[in-house]
Amino acid sequence: MAVSIDEDDESIRKVQDKICQWIEGTNFELDKNRSFMFNMPYLDEENVYQQDIEKGLGYRQMQRYVPIKLKGI
């Protein structure tokens, strides 16, 4: 799982590239039979904590889940 800036294609692409670079140095590989997924934490607009987090960060976060598997499996 990695975190990028929501709705920022450049941030999403940078995170994706860094994930792929990390995977190359491990005993894992992308699992092409499964899809990338994402999650937007704190989607409730009335949630005071969400407003504080967004105000502090200056953006909403997107959590990206990358399907990986052991090489050769």
Side-chain angles (χ1 to χ4, degrees), residues 1-2 19 35-40 63-68:
M1 196 269 299
I19 291 168
S35 300
F36 282 75
M37 297 184 298
F38 69 93
N39 177 36
M40 295 289 301
Q63 298 174 340
R64 299 188 43 85
Y65 299 91
V66 181
I68 59 174

Side-chain angles (χ1 to χ4, degrees), residues 4-5 7-8 11 18 26 28 30-31 34 36-37 39-40 43 46 54 57-61 64 67-68 70-71 73:
S4 66
I5 298 172
E7 298 179 356
D8 181 342
S11 175
K18 288 182 181 190
T26 68
F28 296 101
L30 288 177
D31 185 346
R34 296 170 49 209
F36 282 75
M37 297 184 298
N39 177 36
M40 295 289 301
L43 288 178
E46 296 176 16
E54 284 184 41
L57 292 174
Y59 57 86
R60 286 187 178 182
Q61 291 182 334
R64 299 188 43 85
I68 59 174
L70 286 171
K71 288 182 180 175
I73 293 182

Side-chain angles (χ1 to χ4, degrees), residues 13-24:
R13 188 173 48 254
K14 283 181 182 180
V15 168
Q16 186 83 12
D17 291 345
K18 288 182 181 190
I19 291 168
C20 291
Q21 287 174 351
W22 174 79
I23 290 173
E24 288 176 8

